[in-house]
Amino acid sequence: MENGRKHFPERQDGGMITISLCMIVKNEEAILARCLDSIADLVEEVVIVDTGSTDRTRDIAARYTSRIYDFAWTDDFSAARNYAFSKAGMDYIYSADADEVLSPGNRERFRKMKASLLPEIEIVQMKYANQLRFSTVYNYDEEYRPKLFKRKRDFVWEAPIHETIRLTPVVYDSDIVIDHVPRESHAKRDLDNFYRHCSAGYRLPKRLHTMYARELFLAGDVEDLSRAMPFFMASAADAGRDQEEIAEACCVVSRAARLAGDAITFFKYASKVIAEEACSEICCEMGHFYEDRQDLEEGAVWYYNAVYETSPILCVRSGNKEGLEGLIRCYEGLGNQEQAQVYRTELTRLMTEGK
């Protein structure tokens, strides 16, 4: 076992786990049936928690289950999900969103997983796919997410001497792929929620600090960045933040300042990152800064550094697509079509590979 993950053989006792499907929903009449049609018959129980629908969501849910509960929305997704989980009664809980779909092939993989899952497994991860259609907090089109959870955890002693309770959950990485098929981007909703909680004094833990900064880079507009700027300026000066968080904060402030035309603040925060260890995001920001001022030679230098000399910390495309597009624009502007074509070819190759 490595980091709690195992790949298990199929169980031989003929037993099968039972599953509660738990969902929180609001105004999902357009897509709820699509989701439930792909999963409801694979589970023993469907639990729907409605957080304030004003459309036909509840009527659609009632076709699949009588276990429909109301939960007054508190701007807290965890509270709603915990409430949904509290209503589950099966061995395992499968957590789904209304914009998820299991294809026929993945329905069969789910069925086989259910029939063979060993009881010692506490979390099953599934691949979450199709994430890049709406850029939010994710840099990759497919990645593992925990989706199936053992409802009651068994605590087990480990080691022949100096024994201790195993605290790391036993995680199984399955081959099931869940298609994420949203009707629209959730970025604005998420960024509004981040801003609201930060304005109320909530200090983001490291994981959410990274997600807020990443979502601003991937999907934030000028208004989103401007609103977030004071928070990330404070974060950059927070002695309780580690170097990664400070770099993230400086990246956000630098972009916000550049878009606002505040060159002094831009260079102040960009320099903080460059002095430690430059990243692709800051190099792209420098490239944009000089390109905007028609200093295309200097802009090309920084775009080159973004792609070939540094690595991204928030937004993968800053280290490939964004930087290469900047190089193409700069060399076209300089009249060097041959060099522009070199980078155009590289960009085409990356896009063909889906990067």
Side-chain angles (χ1 to χ4, degrees), residues 13 56 82 91 113 144-145 179 244 254 289 299 312 314 320 349:
D13 60 6
R56 297 180 56 253
N82 285 334
D91 301 331
M113 177 276 298
Y144 272 117
R145 288 191 187 182
D179 286 326
E244 290 179 358
S254 296
F289 180 88
L314 291 170
N320 47 56
R349 183 187 67 79

PDB file of all heavy atoms in Angstrom, residues 13 56 82 91 113 144-145 179 244 254 289 299 312 314 320 349:
ATOM      1  N   ASP A  13     -16.436 -13.910  -2.154  1.00  0.00           N
ATOM      2  CA  ASP A  13     -17.508 -14.427  -1.303  1.00  0.00           C
ATOM      3  C   ASP A  13     -18.897 -14.198  -1.878  1.00  0.00           C
ATOM      4  O   ASP A  13     -19.899 -14.588  -1.283  1.00  0.00           O
ATOM      5  CB  ASP A  13     -17.416 -13.815   0.097  1.00  0.00           C
ATOM      6  CG  ASP A  13     -17.529 -12.294   0.082  1.00  0.00           C
ATOM      7  OD1 ASP A  13     -17.798 -11.729  -0.997  1.00  0.00           O
ATOM      8  OD2 ASP A  13     -17.346 -11.681   1.152  1.00  0.00           O
ATOM      9  N   ARG A  56     -39.044  22.769 -11.331  1.00  0.00           N
ATOM     10  CA  ARG A  56     -39.641  21.441 -11.192  1.00  0.00           C
ATOM     11  C   ARG A  56     -38.643  20.406 -10.679  1.00  0.00           C
ATOM     12  O   ARG A  56     -38.878  19.197 -10.826  1.00  0.00           O
ATOM     13  CB  ARG A  56     -40.211  20.997 -12.535  1.00  0.00           C
ATOM     14  CG  ARG A  56     -41.349  21.878 -13.041  1.00  0.00           C
ATOM     15  CD  ARG A  56     -41.889  21.391 -14.389  1.00  0.00           C
ATOM     16  NE  ARG A  56     -42.320  19.996 -14.310  1.00  0.00           N
ATOM     17  CZ  ARG A  56     -41.657  18.975 -14.861  1.00  0.00           C
ATOM     18  NH1 ARG A  56     -40.493  19.180 -15.501  1.00  0.00           N
ATOM     19  NH2 ARG A  56     -42.132  17.752 -14.761  1.00  0.00           N
ATOM     20  N   ASN A  82     -23.006  17.424   4.178  1.00  0.00           N
ATOM     21  CA  ASN A  82     -23.031  16.681   5.442  1.00  0.00           C
ATOM     22  C   ASN A  82     -24.461  16.300   5.817  1.00  0.00           C
ATOM     23  O   ASN A  82     -24.713  15.198   6.323  1.00  0.00           O
ATOM     24  CB  ASN A  82     -22.384  17.502   6.557  1.00  0.00           C
ATOM     25  CG  ASN A  82     -20.874  17.550   6.446  1.00  0.00           C
ATOM     26  OD1 ASN A  82     -20.255  16.661   5.884  1.00  0.00           O
ATOM     27  ND2 ASN A  82     -20.278  18.611   6.970  1.00  0.00           N
ATOM     28  N   ASP A  91     -24.269   0.829   3.012  1.00  0.00           N
ATOM     29  CA  ASP A  91     -22.859   0.611   3.372  1.00  0.00           C
ATOM     30  C   ASP A  91     -21.975   1.756   2.910  1.00  0.00           C
ATOM     31  O   ASP A  91     -21.071   2.187   3.627  1.00  0.00           O
ATOM     32  CB  ASP A  91     -22.339  -0.687   2.719  1.00  0.00           C
ATOM     33  CG  ASP A  91     -23.116  -1.920   3.125  1.00  0.00           C
ATOM     34  OD1 ASP A  91     -23.652  -1.933   4.246  1.00  0.00           O
ATOM     35  OD2 ASP A  91     -23.176  -2.869   2.323  1.00  0.00           O
ATOM     36  N   MET A 113     -17.507  -2.838 -10.293  1.00  0.00           N
ATOM     37  CA  MET A 113     -16.853  -2.357  -9.076  1.00  0.00           C
ATOM     38  C   MET A 113     -17.699  -2.676  -7.859  1.00  0.00           C
ATOM     39  O   MET A 113     -17.197  -3.164  -6.834  1.00  0.00           O
ATOM     40  CB  MET A 113     -16.606  -0.854  -9.189  1.00  0.00           C
ATOM     41  CG  MET A 113     -15.992  -0.181  -7.961  1.00  0.00           C
ATOM     42  SD  MET A 113     -17.194   0.284  -6.676  1.00  0.00           S
ATOM     43  CE  MET A 113     -18.223   1.452  -7.555  1.00  0.00           C
ATOM     44  N   TYR A 144      -8.509  12.135 -10.912  1.00  0.00           N
ATOM     45  CA  TYR A 144      -9.223  11.358  -9.915  1.00  0.00           C
ATOM     46  C   TYR A 144      -9.861  12.258  -8.861  1.00  0.00           C
ATOM     47  O   TYR A 144      -9.267  13.247  -8.420  1.00  0.00           O
ATOM     48  CB  TYR A 144      -8.278  10.383  -9.213  1.00  0.00           C
ATOM     49  CG  TYR A 144      -8.154   9.045  -9.914  1.00  0.00           C
ATOM     50  CD1 TYR A 144      -6.930   8.626 -10.432  1.00  0.00           C
ATOM     51  CD2 TYR A 144      -9.253   8.215 -10.058  1.00  0.00           C
ATOM     52  CE1 TYR A 144      -6.813   7.396 -11.070  1.00  0.00           C
ATOM     53  CE2 TYR A 144      -9.145   6.987 -10.692  1.00  0.00           C
ATOM     54  CZ  TYR A 144      -7.927   6.582 -11.192  1.00  0.00           C
ATOM     55  OH  TYR A 144      -7.819   5.377 -11.834  1.00  0.00           O
ATOM     56  N   ARG A 145     -11.072  11.870  -8.470  1.00  0.00           N
ATOM     57  CA  ARG A 145     -11.752  12.508  -7.342  1.00  0.00           C
ATOM     58  C   ARG A 145     -12.374  11.428  -6.462  1.00  0.00           C
ATOM     59  O   ARG A 145     -12.861  10.416  -6.974  1.00  0.00           O
ATOM     60  CB  ARG A 145     -12.877  13.427  -7.814  1.00  0.00           C
ATOM     61  CG  ARG A 145     -12.449  14.702  -8.459  1.00  0.00           C
ATOM     62  CD  ARG A 145     -13.640  15.614  -8.635  1.00  0.00           C
ATOM     63  NE  ARG A 145     -13.338  16.801  -9.406  1.00  0.00           N
ATOM     64  CZ  ARG A 145     -14.213  17.761  -9.653  1.00  0.00           C
ATOM     65  NH1 ARG A 145     -15.445  17.669  -9.182  1.00  0.00           N
ATOM     66  NH2 ARG A 145     -13.881  18.817 -10.376  1.00  0.00           N
ATOM     67  N   ASP A 179     -18.557  11.668 -16.675  1.00  0.00           N
ATOM     68  CA  ASP A 179     -18.583  12.823 -17.566  1.00  0.00           C
ATOM     69  C   ASP A 179     -19.209  14.011 -16.852  1.00  0.00           C
ATOM     70  O   ASP A 179     -20.320  13.915 -16.324  1.00  0.00           O
ATOM     71  CB  ASP A 179     -19.395  12.511 -18.823  1.00  0.00           C
ATOM     72  CG  ASP A 179     -18.655  11.583 -19.770  1.00  0.00           C
ATOM     73  OD1 ASP A 179     -17.418  11.685 -19.843  1.00  0.00           O
ATOM     74  OD2 ASP A 179     -19.307  10.744 -20.420  1.00  0.00           O
ATOM     75  N   GLU A 244       4.597  28.988  -1.079  1.00  0.00           N
ATOM     76  CA  GLU A 244       3.717  28.697  -2.207  1.00  0.00           C
ATOM     77  C   GLU A 244       2.504  29.619  -2.195  1.00  0.00           C
ATOM     78  O   GLU A 244       2.101  30.165  -3.240  1.00  0.00           O
ATOM     79  CB  GLU A 244       3.264  27.234  -2.163  1.00  0.00           C
ATOM     80  CG  GLU A 244       4.363  26.232  -2.475  1.00  0.00           C
ATOM     81  CD  GLU A 244       3.859  24.808  -2.403  1.00  0.00           C
ATOM     82  OE1 GLU A 244       2.665  24.615  -2.064  1.00  0.00           O
ATOM     83  OE2 GLU A 244       4.644  23.887  -2.689  1.00  0.00           O
ATOM     84  N   SER A 254      -0.446  40.745  -9.048  1.00  0.00           N
ATOM     85  CA  SER A 254       0.242  41.236 -10.252  1.00  0.00           C
ATOM     86  C   SER A 254      -0.708  41.320 -11.434  1.00  0.00           C
ATOM     87  O   SER A 254      -0.720  42.319 -12.165  1.00  0.00           O
ATOM     88  CB  SER A 254       1.422  40.320 -10.590  1.00  0.00           C
ATOM     89  OG  SER A 254       2.396  40.360  -9.577  1.00  0.00           O
ATOM     90  N   PHE A 289       2.683  42.694 -20.060  1.00  0.00           N
ATOM     91  CA  PHE A 289       3.000  44.081 -19.700  1.00  0.00           C
ATOM     92  C   PHE A 289       3.782  44.754 -20.824  1.00  0.00           C
ATOM     93  O   PHE A 289       3.451  45.863 -21.258  1.00  0.00           O
ATOM     94  CB  PHE A 289       3.786  44.110 -18.383  1.00  0.00           C
ATOM     95  CG  PHE A 289       4.163  45.484 -17.936  1.00  0.00           C
ATOM     96  CD1 PHE A 289       3.293  46.233 -17.158  1.00  0.00           C
ATOM     97  CD2 PHE A 289       5.386  46.039 -18.295  1.00  0.00           C
ATOM     98  CE1 PHE A 289       3.643  47.520 -16.741  1.00  0.00           C
ATOM     99  CE2 PHE A 289       5.743  47.321 -17.882  1.00  0.00           C
ATOM    100  CZ  PHE A 289       4.863  48.056 -17.107  1.00  0.00           C
ATOM    101  N   GLY A 299       8.766  41.552 -24.550  1.00  0.00           N
ATOM    102  CA  GLY A 299       7.628  40.668 -24.326  1.00  0.00           C
ATOM    103  C   GLY A 299       7.939  39.245 -24.726  1.00  0.00           C
ATOM    104  O   GLY A 299       7.613  38.297 -24.000  1.00  0.00           O
ATOM    105  N   PRO A 312       4.440  26.380 -14.284  1.00  0.00           N
ATOM    106  CA  PRO A 312       3.259  27.032 -13.707  1.00  0.00           C
ATOM    107  C   PRO A 312       2.975  26.545 -12.292  1.00  0.00           C
ATOM    108  O   PRO A 312       3.295  25.408 -11.938  1.00  0.00           O
ATOM    109  CB  PRO A 312       2.134  26.628 -14.662  1.00  0.00           C
ATOM    110  CG  PRO A 312       2.588  25.342 -15.261  1.00  0.00           C
ATOM    111  CD  PRO A 312       4.089  25.417 -15.335  1.00  0.00           C
ATOM    112  N   LEU A 314      -0.239  27.722 -10.884  1.00  0.00           N
ATOM    113  CA  LEU A 314      -1.691  27.832 -10.797  1.00  0.00           C
ATOM    114  C   LEU A 314      -2.382  27.396 -12.075  1.00  0.00           C
ATOM    115  O   LEU A 314      -3.357  26.653 -12.041  1.00  0.00           O
ATOM    116  CB  LEU A 314      -2.098  29.288 -10.488  1.00  0.00           C
ATOM    117  CG  LEU A 314      -1.763  29.831  -9.114  1.00  0.00           C
ATOM    118  CD1 LEU A 314      -2.021  31.338  -9.067  1.00  0.00           C
ATOM    119  CD2 LEU A 314      -2.584  29.124  -8.040  1.00  0.00           C
ATOM    120  N   ASN A 320       2.235  26.856 -21.454  1.00  0.00           N
ATOM    121  CA  ASN A 320       2.229  26.360 -22.828  1.00  0.00           C
ATOM    122  C   ASN A 320       1.409  27.280 -23.742  1.00  0.00           C
ATOM    123  O   ASN A 320       1.950  28.145 -24.410  1.00  0.00           O
ATOM    124  CB  ASN A 320       1.762  24.902 -22.910  1.00  0.00           C
ATOM    125  CG  ASN A 320       0.497  24.613 -22.116  1.00  0.00           C
ATOM    126  OD1 ASN A 320      -0.535  25.253 -22.311  1.00  0.00           O
ATOM    127  ND2 ASN A 320       0.553  23.623 -21.227  1.00  0.00           N
ATOM    128  N   ARG A 349       0.911  21.366 -32.131  1.00  0.00           N
ATOM    129  CA  ARG A 349       1.248  20.054 -31.583  1.00  0.00           C
ATOM    130  C   ARG A 349       0.658  19.853 -30.193  1.00  0.00           C
ATOM    131  O   ARG A 349       0.075  18.801 -29.898  1.00  0.00           O
ATOM    132  CB  ARG A 349       2.771  19.889 -31.529  1.00  0.00           C
ATOM    133  CG  ARG A 349       3.222  18.514 -31.025  1.00  0.00           C
ATOM    134  CD  ARG A 349       4.729  18.461 -30.835  1.00  0.00           C
ATOM    135  NE  ARG A 349       5.188  19.310 -29.756  1.00  0.00           N
ATOM    136  CZ  ARG A 349       5.111  18.972 -28.457  1.00  0.00           C
ATOM    137  NH1 ARG A 349       4.575  17.811 -28.091  1.00  0.00           N
ATOM    138  NH2 ARG A 349       5.555  19.800 -27.530  1.00  0.00           N
TER     139      ARG A 349
END
